[in-house]
Amino acid sequence: DVKVTQSSRYLVKRTGEKVFLECVQDMDHENMFWYRQDPGLGLRLIYFSYDVKMKEKGDIPEGYSVSREKKERFSLILESASTNQTSMYLCASSLFRPTDTQYFGPGTRLTVL
Amino acid sequence: ILNVEQSPQSLHVQEGDSTNFTCSFPSSNFYALHWYRWETAKSPEALFVMTLNGDEKKKGRISATLNTKEGYSYLYIKGSQPEDSATYLCAYASNSGGSNYKLTFGKGTLLTVNP
């Protein structure tokens, strides 16, 4: 079975802090994704990566950056956290095409105070 | 921006009832339609991927149909059980230009099955 893990289930940070959310997949998938999920808005794509060191902006990249130094790991970085970044963050991966079945991690609920 | 709509937003059914809900999406440049189930405190889990007009998929008591010409998909649950309680998400993939790298998700249908 594909396993996607995220570094934390719950995280509380203060405004202005730099925040790292880590995601690891163990099935050699080419593509990895970061989404945020907010009530009434559904899953929205922040960034995705189709290869090591390659990235593409999603629908809401502002205030975020990403890093993919190794194929199995995809990091989401909040350079200076703000309260409007309080959300549930989900990582996902897919095998070959970005539009293949996506496998999701358990999510990180981030609260920015 | 691609528009993927799901209805209803939420529904409550009794155990044993059959139910269905809808996902509508742009009918042009269709590539694939996904359904996911997202139970509380768990990860979203893939149910079906459908690519051809008229596709029907089945997994136990859950089935889905696809109409790409009119841009909709139905998800059916036969004889609902409390463990079917979850948010059901559909996601649309387009094969056009700038959108062919991603899935666009609907907001989901929250199903609650009362015992």
Side-chain angles (χ1 to χ4, degrees):
Chain A
D1 277 351
V2 176
K3 195 163 183 188
V4 180
T5 57
Q6 294 182 228
S7 49
S8 307
R9 292 298 301 268
Y10 300 94
L11 206 53
V12 180
K13 295 291 182 181
R14 297 212 172 269
T15 302
E17 280 193 79
K18 190 168 185 175
V19 182
F20 293 86
L21 302 183
E22 305 284 344
C23 175
V24 177
Q25 51 95 2
D26 66 357
M27 285 299 289
D28 205 35
H29 281 185
E30 299 292 324
N31 308 288
M32 296 187 75
F33 309 83
W34 275 107
Y35 295 91
R36 64 179 281 177
Q37 197 261 346
D38 301 288
L41 294 178
L43 282 173
R44 294 181 292 165
L45 181 66
I46 304 171
Y47 267 98
F48 94 101
S49 168
Y50 53 90
D51 201 352
V52 175
K53 296 190 188 295
M54 307 304 288
K55 61 186 179 186
E56 290 283 347
K57 292 180 181 179
D59 297 318
I60 49 165
E62 297 79 18
Y64 303 95
S65 61
V66 290
S67 171
R68 194 168 180 201
E69 296 296 318
K70 294 185 178 181
K71 193 173 185 181
E72 67 270 20
R73 187 180 296 269
F74 191 35
S75 302
L76 180 70
I77 303 153
L78 288 66
E79 293 288 341
S80 177
S82 63
T83 54
N84 63 11
Q85 293 178 308
T86 291
S87 187
M88 168 71 88
Y89 290 88
L90 283 159
C91 175
S93 68
S94 69
L95 177 59
F96 182 55
R97 288 178 295 268
T99 49
D100 288 342
T101 296
Q102 293 190 8
Y103 296 85
F104 286 85
T108 296
R109 184 163 294 282
L110 172 67
T111 302
V112 183
L113 301 175
Chain B
I1 295 178
L2 300 171
N3 212 23
V4 179
E5 301 284 344
Q6 290 189 247
S7 62
Q9 192 173 348
S10 65
L11 74 162
H12 292 250
V13 302
Q14 288 299 126
E15 182 174 355
D17 287 350
S18 293
T19 188
N20 66 85
F21 21 93
T22 307
C23 173
S24 61
F25 50 85
S27 55
S28 57
N29 301 311
F30 176 85
Y31 182 76
L33 193 284
H34 296 226
W35 281 100
Y36 291 84
R37 174 170 60 200
W38 192 1
E39 296 178 66
T40 303
K42 294 187 177 179
S43 312
E45 177 187 71
L47 288 172
F48 306 114
V49 180
M50 296 185 287
T51 56
L52 298 176
N53 185 45
D55 251 357
E56 289 190 30
K57 299 266 181 166
K58 189 173 180 182
K59 190 175 183 178
R61 293 179 291 99
I62 303 176
S63 59
T65 61
L66 179 67
N67 183 323
T68 61
K69 295 188 187 306
E70 295 181 45
Y72 65 84
S73 174
Y74 292 136
L75 189 80
Y76 299 92
I77 302 178
K78 186 176 176 182
S80 304
Q81 299 296 308
E83 59 263 31
D84 296 328
S85 297
T87 297
Y88 291 83
L89 298 171
C90 70
Y92 163 81
S94 162
N95 63 7
S96 82
S99 301
N100 64 353
Y101 61 86
K102 66 174 188 175
L103 298 181
T104 299
F105 284 83
K107 295 177 184 177
T109 293
L110 174 61
L111 172 67
T112 304
V113 182
N114 299 310

